[in-house]
Amino acid sequence: LSVFSVMSIMTSQYFLAEINNELKLVNEKLDNILEFLYGDKKAELLSEISFARYAYENYTSIMKHTELRVSVISNIYQSKKVAMKDIEFYLRDLERIVTKETKSSDSLNNCVNDSVQVAQSINLSLQLFALCCLLEALYGENTDASYVKYISSDLKLQNDRCEKRIIACFSGLQEKIKNYKGTPLKKIDK
C-alpha cells in the first residue's frame, strides 16, 4: 500500500510538472496573440487617422465631385466606428493592466510602461473620433444648430468618459506604486 502511495505521489508530481509546462507554453502563445492583436489594432488606428487627414487636407477637391464626396462620408462613418471600438478596447485594456497583480519591481515597471502606452492609444483614438465628428459635419454641410449641438455634446461626453476612466486607472496605479514594498536589496524609483 505504501509503495502504491509513493508511486501515486510521484506520478501526480510528474503530471503536475507537465501541466505546468503546458500552461507556460499556452501563456506564451497567448502573449504572442495579444502582441499581434496590439500591432493590428495600432495599424488599423494609424490607417484610419491617415484617411481622416487625407479627407481633411483634400476637402476642397473632394467637395467638387459628388461620388467621391459620398464615398468619403461613408468612410468617415466607418472611421468613427473604428475610433469608438478602439477607445473601448484600450480603456478595458488599461483597466486590465492596472488591476493585474504585480509581484516584482520589473512587473510593476512593465505595468506603468504599458499603462502609459495604452493611455496614448486612447488619446489617439479619441482624436480620431473628434476629427471624424468634425469631418462628418463639414462634408455633410450640416450647420443645423441642433446637429452641431449634438456633435459638441457627444465629443464632450466621450472626452469626459475617457478622462474619468483614465484618471481612475492611473489613481489605482499610483496607489499600487505607493503601496509596493520592494525587497531590502532592490528599491524602485516611485
Side-chain angles (χ1 to χ4, degrees):
L1 182 61
S2 60
V3 169
F4 282 120
S5 295
V6 169
M7 291 296 288
S8 175
I9 291 171
M10 288 175 51
T11 304
S12 66
Q13 289 298 321
Y14 171 76
F15 284 118
L16 283 175
E18 286 296 313
I19 291 170
N20 192 28
N21 288 337
E22 291 296 321
L23 286 176
K24 285 180 184 176
L25 184 63
V26 168
N27 201 15
E28 287 175 11
K29 288 181 181 179
L30 287 176
D31 287 343
N32 290 339
I33 291 170
L34 189 60
E35 203 172 296
F36 174 78
L37 177 64
Y38 267 104
D40 190 45
K41 274 281 188 208
K42 193 70 145 190
E44 177 187 48
L45 181 59
L46 293 175
S47 171
E48 296 296 337
I49 289 171
S50 176
F51 165 74
R53 195 178 85 222
Y54 154 80
Y56 174 75
E57 290 177 1
N58 294 297
Y59 172 77
T60 306
S61 176
I62 293 170
M63 288 301 284
K64 293 177 184 176
H65 303 90
T66 306
E67 297 83 13
L68 187 56
R69 178 179 165 205
V70 170
S71 173
V72 168
I73 289 173
S74 174
N75 286 325
I76 289 170
Y77 286 125
Q78 292 302 317
S79 294
K80 188 175 175 181
K81 285 171 49 177
V82 167
M84 284 301 301
K85 287 191 291 187
D86 285 353
I87 287 170
E88 193 55 39
F89 172 82
Y90 287 122
L91 283 171
R92 285 185 183 165
D93 195 44
L94 181 61
E95 290 167 350
R96 180 191 63 81
I97 290 169
V98 169
T99 57
K100 188 169 50 173
E101 187 177 335
T102 53
K103 296 180 181 180
S104 68
S105 62
D106 289 340
S107 65
L108 184 62
N109 282 333
N110 288 340
C111 180
V112 170
N113 292 334
D114 291 348
S115 297
V116 170
Q117 286 179 344
V118 170
Q120 290 170 345
S121 295
I122 294 169
N123 188 25
L124 272 176
S125 301
L126 194 56
Q127 288 177 25
L128 174 62
F129 178 77
L131 184 56
C132 287
C133 287
L134 296 174
L135 287 173
E136 176 186 330
L138 193 62
Y139 273 95
E141 296 181 326
N142 190 347
T143 57
D144 185 44
S146 63
Y147 179 73
V148 172
K149 184 179 178 182
Y150 171 79
I151 287 178
S152 176
S153 66
D154 193 28
L155 284 171
K156 183 172 176 13
L157 176 75
Q158 291 304 325
N159 189 53
D160 290 348
R161 181 177 76 92
C162 289
E163 185 177 311
K164 285 176 185 173
R165 285 177 69 182
I166 290 171
I167 288 171
C169 287
F170 276 95
S171 294
L173 183 61
Q174 183 180 20
E175 193 66 27
K176 183 185 281 193
I177 292 168
K178 187 174 120 184
N179 293 333
Y180 180 77
K181 298 198 182 354
T183 61
L185 300 174
K186 188 175 183 181
K187 298 278 184 184
I188 65 164
D189 182 16
K190 294 184 177 185

